[in-house]
Every structure is written in C-alpha cells, then in structure tokens.
Amino acid sequence: MEHKLREFFDNALKEVSLDCTVFGFHEGELKVLLLRWKGTEEWSLPGGHILLDESADDAAGRILSQRTGLSDVFLQQFYTFGNVNRYVYHPEKELLEKLEATFGKGFFDGIIFRRTVSIGYFALVEFAQVQPTPDWFTDECRWWSLAEVPRLLFDHNEMIERALKALRQRIRNQPVGYNLLPEKFTMPELQRLYETILDRPFDRRNFQKLLMSYDILERLEEKRVGAANKSPYLYRFVKEKYDRAGLEGISFSM
C-alpha cells in the first residue's frame, strides 16, 4: 500500500486538492456522505488530490465514483478554500500521531499535511443508488443527517455550510430533484425535498402550480400504493426539458 500511495502522490498536484460535499435525500431528510479516518473517530468529507494529467472536474468525478460507486454524478464547483489556517482543527500533529499509530511511524512523511488550496464541489445523488466506500486513509464511509454532523477535520464543517448555501441558490434559479429523487416520485415527495433544502414550508397547491408551470414534469397514470392518505399520482422529470430549464434558468419564488 505504501508504494501505491507514494506513487499516487508523486503523480498528483501537491498544493491543490478538492473536497466534495455529497448530498442525498432519504426519508424526508437531506444527508451528507462522510469518511472516518483509520484508527480514529475523526470524520471528514470525501476528497483528494488532482492528478497531473486530469482536470479538476475529472478528478472530482473520479473521487466521487470511487466513494459512491456511481458514474455521471452531478457535480458543481462552489468555492475555493485557501485560508492559511485551514488545518487549525484538527491540529495536524495530533492527527498525524493517531494515523501513524495505525500506519506506522514515518508512513506519511512528505506526502500529506502540506498547506493546500482546496476546490469545493457539491454533488447531488440518489441515496438508494450509492454504495458508500472508504478510501486508503479511512475505515468507514456513511451517510449523516445534516443536523447530526459532528465536528469535522480541517475546515470541512464550513465547506458543508457553504455547499448548502450554494445548493439553495441553485434551487432558486435552476430545477433540482433529478439527481436526488428516484425516477418516479409523488408531488408531496418533491415538495418535501424543496422544503428540506430551503428549510421552510410551502402551500401545497401553489407549489404544484409553480412546478408544473416549468413544463419539466410528466404526470403518470400510476399511483403510489400504500401512501398514508389517498394514493397520489406519480411523476417523473422529462430529462430534455429539465436540462433545458437548467440552462435557461427558472425563477423559484414562493
């Protein structure tokens, strides 16, 4: 493993990395994917370095594919993190000591804990399709509810806050849902997604009227069987129209 790691870092940009805030929607909650570092109880966002022969977007796609098992993931750059004190928490010496207890003394000499600038991405994925997979440095990869996210390594709590802000800005100007909901969904499920992201309730009739006005939804003849109330109709996004609305923009204001 040491040989592979050092070979990887020899072929990576040392001063530039990226970190990904992966959002999923499950049981009416917005969740985020986190990694637990080997031999510790410390958590962070998925991320890594950019190889010398790949773009930042390609690196983000590679890393997200490795962590989620998905290809063609929706990704958007949202911020560049270049604070001089990015490693104030967790103190790198203390974390390095914990990692060396697992990997061995001197294992990380010269390959991590330089000062780096990180490009922040957020990703939108369908929760049920993700296969959370840890990387070389981590023991566990799993979903956390946003309300329960612990204190993370480095500046990763700030990254989540900024990613959520960027997602909220996007939802006001572009459609959201294709990457977060299953292929078929009910209007209440779509409304719950919007309410969760924006942290506010909407009137049911007004919400449905506005979303249908974008001409990106198709109502199916199928109904959700076993729903709490009367069986609601199922909907799906019309991909071509959804993509066009994403390019041309919408105005979500309620």
Side-chain angles (χ1 to χ4, degrees), residues 11-49:
N11 290 285
L13 298 172
K14 305 300 192 299
E15 291 78 24
V16 182
S17 64
L18 55 87
D19 291 287
C20 303
T21 303
V22 185
F23 290 118
F25 186 67
H26 182 61
E27 296 182 345
E29 286 189 305
L30 202 60
K31 297 181 182 289
V32 63
L33 201 63
L34 299 178
L35 293 164
R36 181 172 60 81
W37 287 48
K38 284 187 181 295
T40 79
E41 293 301 319
E42 307 292 346
W43 294 81
S44 74
L45 292 170
H49 286 271

Side-chain angles (χ1 to χ4, degrees), residues 21 78 156-166 168:
T21 303
F78 66 93
H156 289 192
N157 290 94
E158 178 191 353
M159 288 184 178
I160 294 176
E161 292 175 4
R162 288 187 177 274
L164 183 57
K165 182 178 180 181
R168 286 173 173 164

